[in-house]
Amino acid sequence: RNYYYARNVIAVAKLKHVPTRWRFKSCVGLAAQIGLVTLRGPRTSLSALWTGVIDGIRGRLGRAPVGLT
Protein backbone atom coordinates (compact mmCIF):
# COMPACT_ATOMS: atom_id res chain seq x y z
CA ARG A 1 0.00 0.00 0.00
CA ASN A 2 2.78 2.43 0.84
CA TYR A 3 4.36 1.95 -2.57
CA TYR A 4 1.14 2.71 -4.46
CA TYR A 5 0.31 5.66 -2.20
CA ALA A 6 3.67 7.34 -2.72
CA ARG A 7 3.85 6.57 -6.44
CA ASN A 8 0.35 7.81 -7.16
CA VAL A 9 0.73 11.04 -5.16
CA ILE A 10 3.81 11.90 -7.21
CA ALA A 11 2.30 10.75 -10.52
CA VAL A 12 -0.91 12.74 -10.04
CA ALA A 13 0.99 15.81 -8.83
CA LYS A 14 2.83 15.85 -12.16
CA LEU A 15 -0.42 16.19 -14.13
CA LYS A 16 -0.94 19.72 -15.43
CA HIS A 17 -4.68 19.87 -14.75
CA VAL A 18 -4.30 19.11 -11.02
CA PRO A 19 -4.72 22.27 -8.90
CA THR A 20 -1.59 23.58 -7.16
CA ARG A 21 -3.32 23.50 -3.78
CA TRP A 22 -4.03 19.78 -4.14
CA ARG A 23 -0.45 19.08 -5.24
CA PHE A 24 0.95 20.92 -2.24
CA LYS A 25 -1.44 19.30 0.23
CA SER A 26 -0.80 15.80 -1.12
CA CYS A 27 2.97 16.20 -1.16
CA VAL A 28 2.95 17.54 2.40
CA GLY A 29 0.87 14.51 3.41
CA LEU A 30 3.35 12.22 1.69
CA ALA A 31 6.26 13.90 3.48
CA ALA A 32 4.45 13.44 6.80
CA GLN A 33 3.83 9.76 5.99
CA ILE A 34 7.52 9.26 5.20
CA GLY A 35 8.45 10.98 8.46
CA LEU A 36 6.10 8.81 10.52
CA VAL A 37 7.28 5.62 8.90
CA THR A 38 10.90 6.68 9.41
CA LEU A 39 10.29 7.18 13.13
CA ARG A 40 7.91 4.33 13.90
CA GLY A 41 7.41 2.03 10.96
CA PRO A 42 9.16 -1.07 9.70
CA ARG A 43 12.02 -0.71 7.24
CA THR A 44 10.07 -2.55 4.56
CA SER A 45 7.43 0.19 4.60
CA LEU A 46 10.06 2.90 4.30
CA SER A 47 11.68 1.08 1.40
CA ALA A 48 8.31 0.76 -0.34
CA LEU A 49 7.62 4.48 0.12
CA TRP A 50 10.94 5.54 -1.36
CA THR A 51 10.61 3.11 -4.25
CA GLY A 52 7.15 4.55 -4.92
CA VAL A 53 8.48 8.11 -4.88
CA ILE A 54 11.26 7.22 -7.32
CA ASP A 55 8.88 5.33 -9.64
CA GLY A 56 6.40 8.23 -9.49
CA ILE A 57 9.11 10.67 -10.54
CA ARG A 58 10.20 8.35 -13.34
CA GLY A 59 6.62 7.87 -14.49
CA ARG A 60 6.60 4.11 -13.90
CA LEU A 61 3.03 3.01 -13.34
CA GLY A 62 1.39 -0.40 -13.24
CA ARG A 63 2.11 -3.25 -10.88
CA ALA A 64 4.50 -2.87 -7.97
CA PRO A 65 7.96 -4.40 -8.35
CA VAL A 66 8.29 -7.96 -7.13
CA GLY A 67 9.09 -8.04 -3.43
CA LEU A 68 7.06 -4.96 -2.50
CA THR A 69 3.67 -6.65 -2.64
Side-chain angles (χ1 to χ4, degrees), residues 21-45:
R21 177 185 276 173
W22 188 93
R23 292 177 196 195
F24 179 76
K25 186 177 176 182
S26 295
C27 289
V28 167
L30 176 58
Q33 180 78 11
I34 291 170
L36 286 172
V37 170
T38 300
L39 294 175
R40 296 180 172 253
R43 283 216 182 265
T44 55
S45 293

Side-chain angles (χ1 to χ4, degrees), residues 3-54:
Y3 168 81
Y4 289 115
Y5 170 69
R7 187 199 65 193
N8 291 342
V9 165
I10 299 298
V12 172
K14 289 171 53 177
L15 299 174
K16 294 183 190 262
H17 69 276
V18 175
T20 303
R21 177 185 276 173
W22 188 93
R23 292 177 196 195
F24 179 76
K25 186 177 176 182
S26 295
C27 289
V28 167
L30 176 58
Q33 180 78 11
I34 291 170
L36 286 172
V37 170
T38 300
L39 294 175
R40 296 180 172 253
R43 283 216 182 265
T44 55
S45 293
L46 186 59
S47 174
L49 278 168
W50 281 115
T51 303
V53 168
I54 292 166

